[in-house]
Amino acid sequence: MKRKQLNIGLFGFGCVGYGLYEVLEKTPTLKASIKKICVKNKAKQRPIPSDRFTFDRNDILNDEEINVVVELIDDADSAFEIVSAALRKGKAVVTANKKMIAEHLQELIALQRTYDVPLLYEASCCASIPILRNLEEYYDNELLDSVEGIVNGSTNYILTKMSEESQSYQNALSEAQAKGYAESNPLLDTGGFDAKYKLLIIAAHAFGGVLKPDQIFNAGIDRIGALEQQYAKEKGLKIKLIAQAFKKPDGSIIAFVAPKFIKATDKLYQVNDVYNGVTLKTAFSEDQFFVGKGAGAYPTASAVISDLSALTYDYRYEYKKIRSNDHVPYSDDVLLKAFVRFDAADKAFVSDRFEEIEEQFSNASASYIIGEIALTEYIKLHENTSTSAILISVINEEVGDKFDIDELVAETELSDIA
Ligand code: HSE
């Protein structure tokens, strides 16, 4: 098969942009070269000659020799302007911008269809793990039940450093920033927003339903305190930020992001540092597990390279599973088992939210309840900023048997928290 030559216009030359530049230099077999690079900051010193750069996006968008735009900028609104203008001009686009895709996925699908051009974004989800193309191509059937995983590298790095090296939250976050894992606004990572955007994209390719970002509840790691960390330690658990989506029998999709206690027998327990891991549950093959580095210049650039390579043989997402949007396929009707820490003053507010309470603990500095709670009530608890909720399992009857719902037996007593 004759492969296409790609003349690339690159937007952004930050951590991933420079990573891509270097990886492309080392991949001479790929028929792709960067013709121009558009950047914003005129004053910034860059490691390659200044004549490679432009500050005017039209120098790329109006260049007819450029047939591929690679968009690796930070600002999701400008990214959408650039990507949609490029698609309108018939240029293929590769992007890693999960926020931009999650906020505009329906429009981006429509643009691809109208202008008959591909938009690929494997690098937007789990960096080096080829999750989207697998969901799109291999799982082209109704047999996929659920997707659950660690999809944010920075938060996994922070949680690992806190639990295994007893680093402070702030110190671990600074390291994640220094290593180029975190977003420029790290609240996107620590608050679970980045994971939510990725989950939206993954759920669209898994189940064919395009949700809106504000339909997906996201909690982050920023409220995890000493009590729940000590609880995890004493029970041999780890706390991980988990994104999960699954289909109910009526076809609706439940999706949310929350910190969760993970047992040592769960494959996600071994996924540490900047690694991401995704478990797919299917009707006949049971669990399948994907793992790989989830952030950083080279892992992300490797996914961009893979998309570029796919463009040389005219690959595109066909969105075979995407349903029409007249029926928004979202549901929040799900029962959870959770651990909730709260201030003594909030006791009535918190206990009233539970359908069933299994365990309670209280001392002078903090209290917790473990029990069954509807997702909608869990969300109300999250709105109270002094509570911290950690998910234990999903216990809906319809989907429960597809999840690990073993009870967490209180084998040890939690020691007093100083
Ligand atoms: N900030 C993101 C993360 C970058 O830490 O996962 C990769 O998408």
Side-chain angles (χ1 to χ4, degrees):
M1 182 183 184
K2 192 165 174 343
R3 292 196 163 204
K4 251 190 200 157
Q5 170 70 40
L6 307 181
N7 294 321
I8 299 169
L10 172 63
F11 284 87
F13 204 66
C15 172
V16 180
Y18 184 46
L20 174 69
Y21 180 89
E22 287 192 305
V23 174
L24 267 180
E25 299 269 292
K26 291 177 191 150
T27 324
T29 46
L30 189 68
K31 293 177 76 180
S33 61
I34 297 175
K35 188 169 181 211
K36 273 183 206 136
I37 306 169
C38 182
V39 287
K40 199 165 70 177
N41 186 346
K42 291 188 179 169
K44 193 168 163 184
Q45 292 291 320
R46 298 191 167 83
I48 63 169
S50 58
D51 62 0
R52 303 296 309 272
F53 296 98
T54 172
F55 304 101
D56 181 355
R57 64 173 72 166
N58 290 319
D59 284 348
I60 289 179
L61 294 172
N62 293 336
D63 184 332
E64 295 198 349
E65 283 177 11
I66 290 179
N67 54 4
V68 180
V69 162
V70 176
E71 182 283 303
L72 299 173
I73 66 171
D74 210 32
D75 167 6
D77 295 334
S78 304
F80 180 62
E81 286 171 21
I82 291 164
V83 167
S84 44
L87 293 172
R88 285 197 176 90
K89 286 183 178 284
K91 298 185 194 300
V93 178
V94 176
T95 175
N97 202 317
K98 49 262 161 149
K99 184 169 192 285
M100 184 272 294
I101 300 162
E103 285 171 346
H104 299 282
L105 187 51
Q106 284 290 7
E107 290 155 276
L108 291 169
I109 293 171
L111 280 168
Q112 290 172 76
R113 288 185 173 148
T114 307
Y115 294 93
D116 193 22
V117 274
L119 167 68
L120 300 181
Y121 41 83
E122 188 64 71
S124 67
C125 296
C126 306
S128 69
I129 305 178
I131 189 69
L132 296 182
R133 231 179 296 160
N134 270 292
L135 288 169
E136 184 71 14
E137 302 303 327
Y138 185 85
Y139 298 94
D140 178 25
N141 52 47
E142 291 295 308
L143 304 177
L144 187 59
D145 293 325
S146 73
V147 183
E148 178 177 12
I150 297 165
V151 301
N152 180 273
S154 302
T155 46
N156 207 34
Y157 183 85
I158 294 167
L159 292 171
T160 305
K161 294 288 160 187
M162 282 167 65
S163 72
E164 289 180 16
E165 294 172 24
S166 302
Q167 277 197 29
S168 72
Y169 177 87
Q170 205 46 54
N171 203 32
L173 170 59
S174 303
E175 272 191 26
Q177 289 176 297
K179 286 174 184 282
Y181 301 155
E183 301 297 302
S184 318
N185 173 4
L187 179 64
L188 293 174
D189 298 296
T190 57
F193 297 93
D194 178 81
K196 179 230 296 267
Y197 301 137
K198 291 167 177 165
L199 182 62
L200 185 153
I201 299 166
I202 287 171
H205 286 271
F207 305 123
V210 180
L211 303 176
K212 299 269 174 243
D214 59 11
Q215 288 178 310
I216 300 180
F217 168 70
N218 61 293
I221 63 163
D222 39 6
R223 286 199 206 158
I224 298 172
L227 183 70
E228 43 277 41
Q229 287 181 70
Q230 184 168 344
Y231 185 91
K233 210 172 210 166
E234 291 189 7
K235 306 263 185 232
L237 305 166
K238 285 184 185 170
I239 302 176
K240 301 279 186 190
L241 186 64
I242 301 295
Q244 59 186 296
F246 52 91
K247 229 175 22 186
K248 291 177 76 177
D250 66 3
S252 61
I253 297 165
I254 292 177
F256 56 91
V257 176
K260 185 178 178 190
F261 287 126
I262 300 289
K263 288 194 271 188
T265 49
D266 191 318
K267 292 183 187 66
L268 294 172
Y269 188 91
Q270 304 297 350
V271 178
N272 293 318
D273 290 300
V274 73
Y275 280 82
N276 285 182
V278 180
T279 304
L280 304 182
K281 295 195 190 216
T282 62
F284 298 114
S285 53
E286 299 185 14
D287 290 13
Q288 283 155 311
F289 183 59
F290 295 75
V291 66
K293 282 198 170 168
Y298 291 140
T300 312
S302 81
V304 173
I305 293 281
S306 175
D307 278 350
L308 288 171
S309 168
L311 286 178
T312 65
Y313 54 83
D314 284 328
Y315 176 77
R316 61 181 58 195
Y317 303 134
E318 288 175 49
Y319 299 104
K320 296 179 277 280
K321 294 179 237 178
I322 297 283
R323 298 176 235 161
S324 77
N325 224 29
D326 40 0
H327 161 63
V328 179
Y330 173 72
S331 166
D332 59 6
D333 182 14
V334 63
L335 195 59
L336 311 174
K337 181 161 164 174
F339 167 112
V340 178
R341 173 183 47 83
F342 51 92
D343 291 345
D346 294 325
K347 182 161 189 202
F349 169 75
V350 173
S351 53
D352 285 354
R353 309 264 82 73
F354 279 86
E355 293 201 1
E356 208 177 297
I357 292 179
E358 290 178 12
E359 192 180 321
Q360 301 202 43
F361 170 89
S362 207
N363 73 7
S365 56
S367 311
Y368 75 78
I369 290 178
I370 291 178
E372 292 183 11
I373 184 167
L375 175 60
T376 45
E377 297 298 309
Y378 189 90
I379 294 170
K380 284 185 199 151
L381 283 184
H382 186 75
E383 284 160 9
N384 178 350
T385 52
S386 58
T387 66
S388 165
I390 312 283
L391 187 65
I392 295 172
S393 58
V394 173
I395 51 176
N396 251 39
E397 270 176 37
E398 306 164 318
V399 293
D401 60 345
K402 291 167 189 148
F403 286 82
D404 187 3
I405 55 162
D406 292 353
E407 300 285 313
L408 276 170
V409 182
E411 285 152 0
T412 50
E413 286 302 312
L414 193 73
S415 340
D416 278 352
I417 307 290

